[in-house]
Amino acid sequence: MPSPKVYINGKLYDKADAKISVYDHGLLYGDGVFEGIRIYHGKVFKLKEHVDRLFESAQAIKLEIPLSREQMAKAIQDTVNANDKKDGYIRPLVTRGAGYLGLDPRRTSDPQVVIIVDDISLYPPELYENGMEIATVATIRNHPAALNPRIKSLNYLNNILAKIEGIQQGCLESLMLNHKGEIAECTGDNVFLVKGGKLRTPPIDAGVLEGITRNAVIELAREARIPVDEMSLTRHDVFIADECFLTGTAAEIIPVVKCDGRPIDNGRPGPITRLLREAFQRLTRQ
Ligand code: PXG
């Protein structure tokens, strides 16, 4: 395997030489934004949607990206081409840049634009066949008035803390509630339930990331004439659901068969999850 080529501010570096300052506020404070994008069969999946979300995240934290959206999309595509990757993962990120040891963003200069192209780490294949187990955790999702989960910021400690709790309970994903005790999302995935032939998922204002896979699944469901309700949900709704699955760039669509030790319905992946997985597979192989 040749060494990955990493884009930093318009230039490509070998992975070992791809470095930015320890005074960068991305490192000092998690002050920056990022995206996670898939490459399927040589094609970047939903590139425009990811670039748009990156710019919206940046705008929300008053970080000016020194590229236009078109330039960013081209930089991402060029970095994929330079790495000759046909299937993999892209991690674009923009930091506030180097500054002093103080929070003031006005004292930083030069936002750093980094694009990493590498392999994606996936859940074990048997989980897609048999379904996975998740657990609700005590750490709640960030309050939207503190750090809105719609912002895909470099500060992911909220999610990491929740992930640690899930792992301690033997689960690879953790279900996070919001400050009202409603279902929000998992640490790197949105959550869907199936009840009576309809899809249910928390609305964005429950305090979740507007997942690009989530939006794709909603569109696929509508094409398949499966009604979708964006509604506030609680653990009760998970316990009485017919099916449950997670969506995300890394996970795609993965069935959940147990939550907090309780089997969901018969404890097997359900037919609507399977139908949507097949539709999603067709979409990514177009
Ligand atoms: N919620 C959160 C908190 C996320 O971080 C999603 C939902 C799903 O969004 P998308 O747009 O991907 O459907 C995410 C995305 C990884 C990895 O390596 C995680 C994500 C994306 C790509 C890679 O764990 N999370």
Side-chain angles (χ1 to χ4, degrees):
M1 269 288 279
S3 159
K5 298 270 184 289
V6 180
Y7 171 106
I8 305 178
N9 303 327
K11 291 204 188 98
L12 289 174
Y13 299 85
D14 282 335
K15 179 178 173 178
D17 302 321
K19 293 172 183 169
I20 61 172
S21 168
V22 294
Y23 283 81
D24 193 296
H25 280 210
L27 177 68
L28 291 177
Y29 302 114
D31 188 357
V33 295
F34 78 103
E35 274 300 321
I37 316 177
R38 280 289 275 271
I39 314 161
Y40 290 107
H41 311 293
K43 192 161 177 281
V44 181
F45 185 63
K46 302 269 183 197
L47 178 57
K48 181 180 184 309
E49 286 81 350
H50 283 283
V51 169
D52 284 345
R53 190 170 66 184
L54 182 71
F55 275 73
E56 284 170 13
S57 293
Q59 197 175 2
I61 67 163
K62 278 186 88 53
L63 167 58
E64 207 166 312
I65 298 180
L67 299 175
S68 67
R69 293 184 190 211
E70 292 70 30
Q71 287 169 327
M72 177 64 77
K74 184 173 183 308
I76 292 170
Q77 189 63 62
D78 289 349
T79 309
V80 170
N81 297 345
N83 281 279
D84 198 20
K85 259 287 182 246
K86 298 283 177 270
D87 287 280
Y89 180 62
I90 314 165
R91 167 68 57 91
L93 60 99
V94 185
T95 75
R96 188 85 66 182
Y100 297 86
L101 297 178
L103 294 181
D104 194 339
R106 293 170 305 182
R107 300 193 70 193
T108 57
S109 56
D110 281 345
Q112 301 290 297
V113 180
V114 176
I115 304 167
I116 303 168
V117 175
D118 211 323
D119 297 322
I120 182 122
S121 93
L122 301 168
Y123 287 120
E126 60 268 20
L127 292 186
Y128 289 88
E129 282 311 308
N130 303 326
M132 70 187 297
E133 178 174 1
I134 61 173
T136 42
V137 292
T139 300
I140 63 163
R141 190 73 177 101
N142 282 330
H143 192 297
L147 175 55
N148 197 323
R150 293 189 72 169
I151 303 168
K152 206 164 163 62
S153 88
L154 289 181
N155 191 321
Y156 249 50
L157 260 187
N158 178 219
N159 313 52
I160 291 166
L161 292 175
K163 183 112 188 162
I164 289 168
E165 286 181 79
I167 291 166
Q168 276 166 344
Q169 296 176 55
C171 292
L172 292 179
E173 252 300 12
S174 310
L175 184 57
M176 302 175 82
L177 307 178
N178 67 15
H179 59 286
K180 293 187 268 189
E182 301 160 346
I183 305 290
E185 61 180 338
C186 291
T187 67
D189 304 293
N190 293 108
V191 60
F192 282 83
L193 303 176
V194 179
K195 184 69 182 171
K198 291 187 190 176
L199 284 192
R200 294 174 157 183
T201 194
I204 301 306
D205 64 12
V208 304
L209 183 73
E210 187 173 349
I212 286 160
T213 320
R214 174 187 183 276
N215 286 348
V217 164
I218 290 173
E219 209 173 298
L220 290 171
R222 294 206 167 119
E223 281 165 18
R225 307 239 180 284
I226 300 166
V228 182
D229 287 332
E230 293 183 58
M231 57 190 280
S232 60
L233 297 165
T234 63
R235 288 171 78 223
H236 174 78
D237 296 294
V238 179
F239 298 146
I240 63 158
D242 300 329
E243 300 178 36
C244 176
F245 61 85
L246 310 181
T247 65
T249 292
E252 303 183 313
I253 299 174
I254 188 158
V256 173
V257 293
K258 227 183 209 189
C259 181
D260 298 338
R262 301 187 186 202
I264 292 168
D265 196 64
N266 61 5
R268 300 277 312 146
I272 292 188
T273 307
R274 189 165 309 119
L275 180 151
L276 290 169
R277 269 182 52 70
E278 284 162 9
F280 188 76
Q281 239 163 40
R282 285 194 293 276
L283 185 67
T284 58
R285 275 145 193 71
Q286 269 173 9

